[in-house]
Amino acid sequence: MIQLLAVTTYEVGRYAQVVVICSIPVIVLTVFGVLWLHYRRKRKLDPQEAQLRETISQKK
């Protein structure tokens, strides 16, 4: 029974390798999604915000 619970470092290493390989695409897609959402909002300035920014830059 105790031998069933014995796990070698090779098996742990292979498990970690599979987890890392599977998580890399998820991480990359998440980063690109966040960047896309962030810069998409910055490009579309609503007229009120544009006017506010212009007013602030004129006061300096």
Side-chain angles (χ1 to χ4, degrees), residues 24-55:
I24 286 175
V26 173
I27 292 169
V28 169
L29 288 174
T30 303
V31 167
F32 280 129
V34 167
L35 288 173
W36 178 74
L37 286 172
H38 177 72
Y39 285 109
R40 180 188 65 137
R41 280 188 62 203
K42 283 201 171 219
R43 275 190 271 141
K44 289 184 180 178
L45 236 76
D46 59 353
Q48 212 173 25
E49 189 176 349
Q51 186 180 10
L52 181 62
R53 285 187 182 189
E54 186 178 321
T55 305

Side-chain angles (χ1 to χ4, degrees), residues 12-25:
V12 172
R14 293 298 285 180
Y15 178 76
Q17 187 178 19
V18 168
V19 168
V20 168
I21 288 172
C22 291
S23 65
I24 286 175

